[in-house]
């Protein structure tokens, strides 16, 4: 498995090696060219001088050997060979150590070039020298006729040495750069991996259940800081979730316990059955029945809330909104009349059609109307207004009831949240209704909203 260190150092080494190869190759190329050009220029000048000296020998048909030997001796330290060729390209004079070449001919292409009077230059390998050579042929011209030529032959001295020292230089630079790359790799990878290790350790702590685990977010690397911030965020959310979970379980048990205690109490009284009139028995049974209803309602609500996204099966159908809501309100009518509360549905349009999961919509309306009635005073008014615009359809349920204090407004959608616990206990609420409304509305792609003035009333809206 690769660590940050091996990755970093690996890429550094690759970069160093590639750059050195590129630099080395281009440097040696440039060096080569430079040395060749230098030598070429030098040889041409020298050759032209010699051509002037040799010319009389050729014109007079004298032996140029002495001159060639002398020239060679003078040039021995430079390693230049001097040959004289006649107009047909035959080698007529060389230094003593090259006499075996005499009688040889220039190659056809070189001869052609020579006879045309132009200088020819050959660069490349030679069988006589270890190093690359350069050969220059300078024609000797007498009265516009080529009467022979000087051939200068020279190894590019020092080129191998120069190249060797160049490669040594590149190699040394390479070793130094690799060492530096290695060092930087160690430092950088430490810097990178240390905070990652810290986060890993912190995650392990969270997994073990430790609280208030945070990691530093002030390292020198922006991305790591970002990761740290996200981590701390997550850490606090996990903690908050755990708290909420505990609270939820406590709430559920509490809510379950009170109806159960009451049911058990009345059943025990009935079992006892001492001096109870039939009317009292009847009353006890009614209470037991009501408490059982409350229990099953609570269990139903919990079931709805506990269903996850995939588990809620939505079956959208198109309905006429006003008719649908009026139907739902019928079941609330007796309760409203009992408290002299009037209920009305107001719609701006004659008919508004909405495609939605009917079960969800019913639950939403039932919970909101239930609250509106529950938290209204005698003789109040509950009105449901329907609006349709290009972007959305909204259903607003307003009441002239108790209203909700501003500081409670952000929380009323939370599970088990009740503004006034005593007030709700009396009215039998558990604080799940609005959580259900919010969940179902959002599952159906809508949004919830509330406006409320304490003592005046509230408006709960859902928009789809
Ligand atoms: N129309 C309203 N007017 C005033 N207060 C309201 C209204 N609707 C909700 N509330 C407040 O918000 C709290 C949360 O409402 P929610 O419907 O979630 O719970 P509940 O009515 O107490 O219980 P449940 O609906 O589960 O029987 C209520 O306890 C109540 O204090
Ligand atoms: Mg409610």
């Amino acid at each position: 498995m690769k660590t940050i260190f091996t990755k970093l150092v690996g890429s550094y080494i690759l970069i160093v090696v590639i750059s050195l190869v590129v630099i080395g190759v281009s440097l040696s190329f440039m060096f080569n060219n430079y040395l060749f050009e230098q030598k070429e220029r030098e040889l041409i000048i020298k050759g032209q001088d010699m051509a002037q000296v040799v010319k009389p020998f050729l014109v007079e048909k004298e032996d140029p050997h002495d001159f060639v030997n002398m020239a060679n001796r003078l040039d021995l330290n430079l390693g230049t060979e001097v040959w004289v060729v006649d107009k047909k390209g035959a080698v007529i004079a060389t230094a003593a150590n090259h006499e075996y070449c005499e009688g040889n001919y220039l190659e056809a292409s070189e001869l052609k070039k020579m006879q045309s009077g132009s200088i020819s230059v050959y660069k490349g390998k030679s069988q006589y020298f270890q190093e690359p050579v350069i050969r220059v042929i300078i024609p000797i011209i007498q009265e516009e006729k080529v009467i022979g030529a000087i051939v200068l032959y020279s190894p590019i001295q020092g080129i191998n040495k120069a190249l060797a020292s160049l490669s040594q230089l590149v190699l040394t630079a390479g070793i130094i750069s690799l060492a530096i790359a290695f060092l930087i790799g160690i430092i950088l990878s430490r810097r990178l991996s240390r905070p990652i290790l810290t986060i890993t350790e912190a995650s392990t702590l969270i997994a073990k259940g430790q609280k208030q685990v945070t990691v530093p977010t002030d390292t020198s690397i922006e991305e790591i800081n970002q990761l740290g911030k996200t981590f701390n965020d997550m850490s606090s959310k996990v903690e908050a979730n755990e708290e909420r979970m505990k609270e939820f379980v406590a709430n559920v048990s509490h809510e379950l316990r009170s109806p159960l205690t009451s049911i058990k109490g009345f059943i025990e009284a009935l079992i006892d059955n001492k001096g109870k009139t039939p009317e009292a028995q009847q009353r006890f049974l009614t209470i037991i029945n009501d408490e059982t209803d409350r229990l099953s309602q609570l269990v139903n609500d919990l079931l709805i809330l506990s269903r996850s996204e995939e588990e809620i099966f939505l079956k959208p159908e198109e309905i006429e909104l006003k008719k649908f809501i009026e139907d739902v309100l019928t079941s609330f009518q007796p309760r409203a009349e009992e408290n002299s509360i009037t209920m009305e549905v107001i719609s701006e349009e004659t008919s508004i059609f909405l495609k939605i999961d009917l079960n969800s919509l019913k639950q939403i309306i039932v919970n909101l109307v239930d609250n509106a009635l529950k938290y209204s005073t005698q003789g109040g008014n509950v009105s449901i207004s329907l609006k349709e615009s290009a972007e959305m359809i909204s259903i607003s349920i307003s009441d002239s009831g108790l209203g909700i204090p501003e500081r409670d407004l952000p929380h009323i959608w939370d599970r088990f949240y009740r503004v006034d616990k005593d007030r709700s206990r009396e009215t039998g609420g558990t604080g799940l209704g609005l959580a259900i409304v919010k969940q179902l509305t959002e599952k159906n792609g809508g949004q919830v909203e509330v406006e409320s003035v304490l003592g005046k009333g509230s408006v709960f809206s859902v928009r789809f």
Side-chain angles (χ1 to χ4, degrees), residues 90-143:
V91 180
I92 53 173
T94 68
N97 55 349
H98 263 198
E99 262 166 11
Y100 59 90
C101 290
E102 287 178 17
N104 283 357
Y105 279 87
L106 290 183
E107 277 174 28
S109 59
E110 287 171 332
L111 184 62
K112 216 168 149 202
K113 210 159 174 206
M114 177 195 113
Q115 285 172 341
S116 74
S118 41
I119 297 170
S120 61
V121 179
Y122 163 86
K123 293 171 189 170
K125 297 236 157 57
S126 146
Q127 57 197 95
Y128 307 115
F129 300 100
Q130 301 263 304
E131 290 173 304
V133 294
I134 183 159
R135 188 173 63 204
V136 183
I137 302 172
I138 318 272
I140 302 170
I141 297 164
Q142 163 76 356
E143 288 167 357

Side-chain angles (χ1 to χ4, degrees), residues 297 301 367-368 370-376 397 399 401-404 412-414 416-420 423-424 427-436 452 457-458 460:
Q297 181 58 43
D301 286 355
N367 274 301
L368 290 178
D370 177 63
N371 283 352
L373 290 178
K374 201 154 60 175
Y375 305 112
S376 276
I397 296 165
D399 62 65
L402 308 169
I404 302 165
I412 53 169
W413 307 100
D414 296 347
F416 294 110
Y417 192 86
R418 286 165 300 195
V419 172
D420 180 346
R423 180 221 279 183
S424 296
T427 44
T430 47
L432 290 176
L434 287 180
I436 291 175
S452 187
S458 321
F460 284 84

Side-chain angles (χ1 to χ4, degrees), residues 307-417:
R307 267 185 231 146
S308 66
E309 200 95 22
E310 308 81 55
E311 284 169 315
I312 291 187
F313 180 66
L314 300 178
K315 197 169 135 238
E317 280 171 62
E318 193 163 67
I319 39 115
E320 203 289 296
L321 204 50
K322 192 167 183 220
K323 165 106 187 14
F324 182 86
I325 289 176
E326 279 168 348
D327 284 349
V328 176
L329 288 188
T330 347
S331 57
F332 285 101
Q333 209 59 52
R335 214 173 113 193
E337 274 164 18
E338 214 173 281
N339 296 298
S340 329
I341 296 171
T342 52
M343 292 196 298
E344 54 178 347
V345 184
I346 307 162
S347 173
E348 285 179 348
E349 322 286 326
T350 29
S351 48
I352 298 174
F353 289 93
L354 177 62
K355 196 169 184 198
I356 192 168
D357 175 56
L358 297 190
N359 217 351
S360 306
L361 183 62
K362 187 170 177 193
Q363 294 259 18
I364 293 167
I365 305 292
V366 164
N367 274 301
L368 290 178
V369 173
D370 177 63
N371 283 352
L373 290 178
K374 201 154 60 175
Y375 305 112
S376 276
T377 36
Q378 286 264 339
N381 173 265
V382 171
S383 98
I384 302 172
S385 71
L386 313 176
K387 277 188 199 126
E388 182 177 30
S389 72
E391 307 90 48
M392 61 182 152
I393 289 174
S394 77
I395 306 168
S396 302
I397 296 165
S398 33
D399 62 65
S400 52
L402 308 169
I404 302 165
E406 209 175 316
R407 65 187 155 86
D408 292 299
L409 278 179
H411 307 293
I412 53 169
W413 307 100
D414 296 347
R415 295 165 185 192
F416 294 110
Y417 192 86

Side-chain angles (χ1 to χ4, degrees), residues 63-289:
D63 184 6
H65 268 98
D66 287 341
F67 163 73
V68 171
N69 273 328
M70 186 191 68
N72 258 36
R73 241 196 320 280
L74 282 181
D75 243 334
L76 218 52
N77 47 347
L78 287 177
T80 309
E81 281 295 329
V82 184
W83 299 351
V84 179
V85 296
D86 67 8
K87 60 182 173 191
K88 291 192 183 108
V91 180
I92 53 173
T94 68
N97 55 349
H98 263 198
E99 262 166 11
Y100 59 90
C101 290
E102 287 178 17
N104 283 357
Y105 279 87
L106 290 183
E107 277 174 28
S109 59
E110 287 171 332
L111 184 62
K112 216 168 149 202
K113 210 159 174 206
M114 177 195 113
Q115 285 172 341
S116 74
S118 41
I119 297 170
S120 61
V121 179
Y122 163 86
K123 293 171 189 170
K125 297 236 157 57
S126 146
Q127 57 197 95
Y128 307 115
F129 300 100
Q130 301 263 304
E131 290 173 304
V133 294
I134 183 159
R135 188 173 63 204
V136 183
I137 302 172
I138 318 272
I140 302 170
I141 297 164
Q142 163 76 356
E143 288 167 357
E144 293 181 9
K145 269 197 201 137
V146 176
I147 56 167
I150 292 286
V151 178
L152 295 183
Y153 218 101
S154 178
I156 310 290
Q157 249 180 3
I159 202 161
N160 284 350
K161 226 160 125 199
L163 286 182
S165 52
L166 183 72
S167 42
Q168 193 148 26
L169 196 80
V170 170
L171 205 73
T172 319
I175 291 170
I176 294 173
S177 319
L178 284 182
I180 293 175
F182 201 77
L183 262 176
I184 294 180
I186 290 179
I187 295 171
L188 260 189
S189 63
R190 280 251 176 92
R191 261 202 210 164
L192 269 176
S193 56
R194 204 177 296 137
I196 293 179
L197 274 180
T198 314
I199 292 178
T200 312
E201 279 160 17
S203 313
T204 318
L205 287 182
I206 290 182
K208 281 187 185 150
Q210 187 150 324
K211 296 241 156 62
Q212 276 161 357
V213 182
T214 53
V215 294
T217 53
D218 53 357
T219 69
S220 55
I221 303 163
E222 176 55 29
E223 285 89 343
I224 296 275
N225 291 346
Q226 205 57 46
L227 176 64
K229 274 181 204 143
T230 321
F231 180 89
N232 290 344
D233 247 23
M234 185 201 70
S235 162
S236 59
K237 285 223 174 88
V238 165
E239 216 174 303
N241 270 346
E242 224 166 85
E243 284 302 311
R244 227 187 298 152
M245 180 76 177
K246 269 192 201 150
E247 202 185 292
F248 183 75
V249 172
N251 278 328
V252 170
S253 345
H254 181 261
E255 292 303 328
L256 287 174
R257 201 180 313 124
S258 50
L260 278 176
T261 320
S262 136
I263 291 172
K264 187 158 168 53
F266 285 108
I267 289 180
E268 274 170 0
L270 285 174
I271 292 174
D272 235 11
N273 203 21
K274 273 188 212 128
K276 299 271 180 334
T277 60
E279 291 77 44
Q281 288 179 5
Q282 186 61 33
R283 196 158 47 81
F284 286 6
L285 284 173
T286 313
I287 294 173
I288 290 173
N289 193 35

